[in-house]
Amino acid sequence: MDATLVWLKRDLRLRDPASLHAAQGARAAAAVYVIEPDWLASAEFSSSHLQITLQCLAELRSALAARGLPLLVRVGTVPAVFDALQRRFPFTQLLSHEETGPGWTCARDLEVAAWCRARGVAWQAVPQTAVVRRLRGRAGWAGRWARRKDAPALPAPSVFHGAAAFSLADLPDLPTPAALGVAPPWQALQPVGEDAAWSTLAGFLAGRGPSSARPTTRRPPSTSASR
C-alpha cells in the first residue's frame, strides 16, 4: 500500500477500527485527528465532549506511538490540514471510517472528497454502522446489516511503518480547552478511554450485571388497608 494517512474521526479505539488495521500494510503511515471549528461551534457540541476526546486522544496516541504510528492532532478545517500534511508527507491513500453525523459533517466530507479527487488521493471510508448509504430502497438492507453486525472484531494493530517525515517535534502536547476558547466542563467526568471502558464492562459482567438480574423477594400485599 502507498503512503497512507489515517483520518481518525469519532472512533478513537485501538481495537477493531478497520482503517488502523489496514494501515499496517502501508510502506509509510501517519494518523491525524482534526479539531474542527465547525464542531466547536455546532449545536451538539459540549465542553465535556472536548474533554473526553482529548483524554481518549492522549491514551490512543501513546498506544499508537508504541507501535510506530505517529498520531498528529491539528486544529482547523480538514482540507487545510490535509494540504499542510501532504506538503510534508505526500500521502496518496486516505483511510477513515464512514461517519454518520449532523449536516456539517456531511458537507465537510463532500469537501474532503473533492480535495482527494483534485490531488489524486484514494479515499477509502470503511462502513462501520448499520447505516447503509445510497440505497434506493430497503431491499437487501437486512442482509447488509447482518453481515456488518456479525463481522468478527479486528485485533489491535501490532506494528506500523511510521512516516519518517514526522518527529517528536510534530507531536506537541494536546491543546487545552482554554487554548481552544472552551470553558472546562462544569461536572466531574467519569474515567474515559478504551482501557476504562473495558474495565467498566468487566466490572459489570462480574458484579453489577449478575446482581441486578437476581430475583428480589417481595413482601405480600397487606390485607389491611388504611381508609
Side-chain angles (χ1 to χ4, degrees):
M1 190 187 296
D2 290 338
T4 297
L5 182 68
V6 180
W7 176 22
L8 298 173
K9 296 182 174 184
R10 294 172 181 256
D11 189 347
L12 297 177
R13 297 174 299 159
L14 179 67
R15 302 166 181 84
D16 199 37
S19 55
L20 286 175
H21 199 266
Q24 294 180 107
R27 63 174 177 82
V32 65
Y33 181 87
V34 184
I35 299 175
E36 301 171 75
D38 282 348
W39 175 48
L40 300 180
S42 64
E44 73 272 12
F45 174 78
S46 166
S47 59
S48 60
H49 296 162
L50 177 62
Q51 190 67 40
I52 289 169
T53 296
L54 293 173
Q55 290 181 33
C56 290
L57 284 170
E59 180 181 302
L60 182 59
R61 173 185 267 187
S62 177
L64 291 176
R67 292 162 170 80
L69 185 71
L71 170 52
L72 310 165
V73 177
R74 298 291 187 264
V75 180
T77 63
V78 176
V81 169
F82 285 179
D83 266 334
L85 291 181
Q86 200 179 48
R87 286 193 290 270
R88 295 275 305 278
F89 172 53
F91 60 92
T92 56
Q93 175 90 1
L94 178 66
L95 299 175
S96 73
H97 72 259
E98 189 179 78
E99 185 177 6
T100 302
W104 70 266
T105 66
C106 180
R108 176 253 281 141
D109 281 357
L110 292 175
E111 293 177 0
V112 171
W115 183 93
C116 288
R117 287 193 299 270
R119 288 157 182 79
V121 173
W123 179 18
Q124 182 181 2
V126 183
Q128 190 180 43
T129 68
V131 177
V132 181
R133 291 185 174 181
R134 293 175 288 277
L135 281 180
R136 296 183 180 276
R138 291 185 62 85
W141 173 84
R144 296 189 190 189
W145 172 80
R147 287 192 294 273
R148 294 184 185 184
K149 177 178 66 70
D150 296 336
L154 296 172
S158 55
V159 64
F160 299 89
H161 301 288
F166 301 112
S167 64
L168 290 178
D170 299 299
L171 304 175
D173 291 340
L174 296 175
T176 63
L180 296 170
V182 176
W186 60 268
Q187 76 275 42
L189 301 177
Q190 67 186 52
V192 298
E194 192 169 6
D195 290 343
W198 281 107
S199 177
T200 299
L201 176 62
F204 178 80
L205 295 176
R208 292 181 292 116
S211 64
S212 65
R214 296 190 191 109
T216 57
T217 303
R218 296 179 178 273
R219 291 184 178 182
S222 174
T223 55
S224 61
S226 300
R227 296 183 183 273

